[in-house]
Every structure is written in C-alpha cells, then in structure tokens.
Amino acid sequence: MTALLDIDRVSVHIPLKSGFLQSPLSLRAVEDVSLKVGRSETLAIVGESGSGKSTLGYVVAGLRKQTAGNVRFNSSRAAAPGENPAQIIFQDPFSALDPRMTVGEIVAEPLRLRSIGQKERLGRAANVLEQVGMPADAARRYPHQFSGGQRQRIAIARALIGEPELIVADEPLSALDVSIQSKILNLLADIKDQHGISYFFISHDLGVVHHLADRVAVLYLGRLMEVAPRDEIFRTPSHPYTQALLDAVPRIGRGRRKHQALKGEIPTPLAPPPGCVFNTRCPRAQDICRRERPALLPAPGRPGQLAACHFKD
Ligand SMILES: Nc1ncnc2c1ncn2[C@@H]1O[C@H](COP(=O)(O)OP(=O)(O)OP(=O)(O)O)[C@@H](O)[C@H]1O
Ligand SMILES: [Mg+2]
C-alpha cells in the first residue's frame, strides 16, 4: 500500500548571511531524511533541541522549502489551489492566533482560498469549534478571552476545517498546564479516530510519544538515527542515541538504566562531524564511526526497525 506522505531524501540547508557578504556557510538543519507516514498513522518525531524536528515539520506543512529531496502526498482527493494537504498546530497557542480576528474568522481562514461564501465558512467554523469542545458562542469572541488549552483547541479547529489528511503537530502540548495536556491529547486521539487523520507529531515528551505514536523517528543533528514501530523502539532501542534518550526517562517501557547517559553538547550544525554525526558523543564509537556514515538498515533480527549505526543492537 502506498503511504499517504512520502518524504524522500529531504535536506534543508540554511545559508547564513554575515554582514553584507553572503557567507558560504550553511547550516544543515535537516540532512537526507526519508520517512513515510501511512493513512491514519501517527509518526512521532523525537530528538534533542536543534535536531531539525520543526524544520522537517515545516517542510511537510508546506511552510518551508527543502533544499534537496521530495515531499509527496498521495492524496485521495485534489487539494484546492495553493493549499497543502497538511495543516500544522504550533507549540504556543498564544502567538499562533491573530488577536485582532474573532475566533470564528481565525478558524474559517484556511477556507479563504476556496470558493466558499463567508456565511458557509463561518458556519463550518462553528461546527469544528463544537467538535473540538469549544462553547457555542466562541466564534464571536477573541482569542485573549480564552485559556491556553482553549486556544490550542481553536488552533486544532483551524487545522481541521479544511479536512486535511495529515496534521503536523509541533510540540502541541508543551506550552500547556499538565492538567490540560491529557485533555488535548485525548482530543487529538478522538480526531484521529473520527477523521482517519495522520499525525506528524513532534515531541520532547517520550511519555506522550509512548501513549500516542504508532511509529517513532529519532533525529539527531538533522539526520535520522532510528525509525521503528513504537513498541520496538521503546522495548529494544537499537541505536545508542535512542537508548540514551530513553534512559533519560527510566519509567517508560524499561526499568532501570542499562546504557550510558548522553555526555557533552550537540555539535554545531554548521560543521557536523564526519562519519556518523553522533560519534562525538557515542559510548560505542570506533574509528569506522569517524570515517564512514552508517546507512539506515534493519536491526539484527528486526526487519521493521531501522537504525543508522555501525554497532547497532
Ligand atoms: N530560520 C533559521 N535560521 C537559522 N537557523 C535555523 C533556522 N531555523 C532553524 N535553524 C537551525 O536549524 C537547526 C534545527 O532547528 P529546528 O528548530 O528544526 O530544531 P528542533 O528539533 O525543532 O528543536 P527544538 O526541540 O528546540 O524545537 C537548529 O540548529 C536551528 O538553530
Ligand atoms: Mg522545534
């Protein structure tokens, strides 16, 4: 079966400008990443800060252009002109909503590219607002009249109104109170059940990832380290980087620490280390790791679990 979303060897290099001279330096935010997301599948993207998660999410949502590679949606229906089959929800529900627009206008906005009259747009906005659990009069009010959790519901309504096939969720819970997080998490799960939507779900929180992901992709310095079904990656992580990430949260999946904690800082993406980009922090690094980039290949005896490591488990 063809995947809904096919990310094929995507790189994002960001040229750095210094003064009036164009510097030849470019920052490698995403490097040669290939991933697929199936219909109604949740692919979680994890990795430390600066690993390229958001940049890849923006490419998927059509907000940023990749410098190499392709992003293809095998959509079941034609998108309206100028419209991306994916919508995005951001981390911060405070800055994401225009304070001068009513909630109804904000939610209806993605439909403006379609030839749908204003009355119908606002009617549909009222419908999705109800679906995400907002009060009936919300459409006439302004974002500042709502709490963080309610604003995230408004952002979700806006993402839903165009009936996207995939939603990029970039840390959608991390700005919210813990008590609200599980409510929004349940809402996202209900939406997936009802609409068959796929999620490209970016999160630092491995507890949340364990709860909702079907598969997990691990990024480090813009590169894919490991990708596997949720249970495999939590029970038997193959890549030393994944193992270190999981060991930082011993309560999930496995008991006590088995592996060494991560040491040192992430190297600069202006000059990623040669060979395996993780070699400078890896407890298993040998000479070959500093020379040869490991290909993303199945872990021994686990065909569905891919890891880019010369010494993977
Ligand atoms: N517009 C930009 N200009 C310059 N550098 C950028 C830009 N956008 C991203 N970067 C750099 O690209 C790299 C990847 O950034 P990105 O925001 O994708 O990481 P992330 O995994 O989302 O991190 P976080 O967990 O902190 O959100 C970082 O080194 C970041 O500084
Ligand atoms: Mg980010």
Side-chain angles (χ1 to χ4, degrees):
M1 217 188 99
T2 53
L4 171 65
L5 167 65
D6 191 349
I7 301 171
D8 183 27
R9 308 205 64 176
V10 162
S11 296
V12 180
H13 295 177
I14 302 170
L16 292 190
K17 295 188 181 89
S18 55
F20 55 88
L21 288 174
Q22 181 95 37
S23 149
L25 273 183
S26 76
L27 187 147
R28 286 140 187 263
V30 174
E31 192 77 280
D32 199 17
V33 169
S34 297
L35 283 169
K36 291 181 199 293
V37 185
R39 285 176 202 284
S40 306
E41 184 179 47
T42 298
L43 177 71
I45 313 294
V46 304
E48 284 164 290
S49 189
S51 55
K53 306 181 296 295
S54 295
T55 305
L56 187 59
Y58 295 163
V59 170
V60 169
L63 299 179
R64 181 182 253 291
K65 193 82 192 109
Q66 67 272 25
T67 36
N70 289 302
V71 175
R72 200 171 50 245
F73 280 93
N74 299 304
S75 299
S76 52
R77 56 190 159 75
E83 225 174 58
N84 196 286
Q87 287 291 325
I88 189 164
I89 312 167
F90 297 99
Q91 169 173 356
D92 182 0
F94 292 86
S95 57
L97 308 177
D98 188 333
R100 294 159 304 182
M101 290 165 76
T102 65
V103 167
E105 287 165 349
I106 289 171
V107 171
E109 208 206 354
L111 297 181
R112 76 189 184 286
L113 293 168
R114 303 185 186 178
S115 44
I116 301 174
Q118 196 199 12
K119 197 164 170 218
E120 191 191 334
R121 285 207 305 270
L122 291 174
R124 279 166 67 171
N127 270 339
V128 278
L129 281 164
E130 192 191 326
Q131 274 180 52
V132 300
M134 291 296 288
D137 67 342
R140 289 195 304 275
R141 292 159 68 187
Y142 288 86
H144 73 264
Q145 296 174 284
F146 294 99
S147 67
Q150 287 175 313
R151 288 189 211 204
Q152 202 57 303
R153 288 179 194 269
I154 295 166
I156 292 168
R158 183 178 57 183
L160 275 180
I161 196 163
E163 299 175 338
E165 292 176 273
L166 181 137
I167 289 181
V168 175
D170 190 353
E171 306 264 9
L173 308 175
S174 52
L176 306 178
D177 284 354
V178 176
S179 60
I180 309 289
Q181 287 183 359
S182 61
K183 293 194 178 132
I184 298 294
L185 199 56
N186 290 339
L187 173 63
L188 292 173
D190 290 348
I191 288 168
K192 179 176 160 176
D193 291 346
Q194 283 166 25
H195 300 265
I197 277 178
S198 307
Y199 288 122
F200 190 89
F201 194 95
I202 298 167
S203 182
H204 273 108
D205 186 334
L206 294 174
V208 167
V209 169
H210 187 256
H211 183 75
L212 63 67
D214 297 308
R215 281 188 307 131
V216 181
V218 182
L219 284 181
Y220 180 78
L221 261 184
R223 286 201 179 256
L224 201 52
M225 298 287 108
E226 182 161 359
V227 56
R230 187 260 319 261
D231 288 345
E232 268 96 322
I233 217 158
F234 277 94
R235 272 192 219 128
T236 53
S238 174
H239 197 288
Y241 181 61
T242 314
Q243 292 170 355
L245 279 184
L246 287 176
D247 272 354
V249 273
R251 69 203 154 76
I252 309 164
R254 297 142 341 118
R256 128 169 25 113
R257 273 169 194 274
K258 283 192 259 176
H259 311 282
Q260 277 168 273
L262 271 180
K263 41 181 204 245
E265 300 275 304
I266 306 187
T268 168
L270 288 170
C276 172
V277 288
F278 186 53
N279 82 66
T280 56
R281 299 169 79 194
C282 182
R284 281 184 225 168
Q286 307 285 326
D287 279 347
I288 186 176
C289 307
R290 293 179 270 272
R291 281 197 320 267
E292 279 178 36
R293 171 158 303 125
L296 189 70
L297 293 170
R302 283 174 271 154
Q305 182 169 8
L306 306 180
C309 176
H310 294 297
F311 302 104
K312 54 183 168 284
D313 281 340

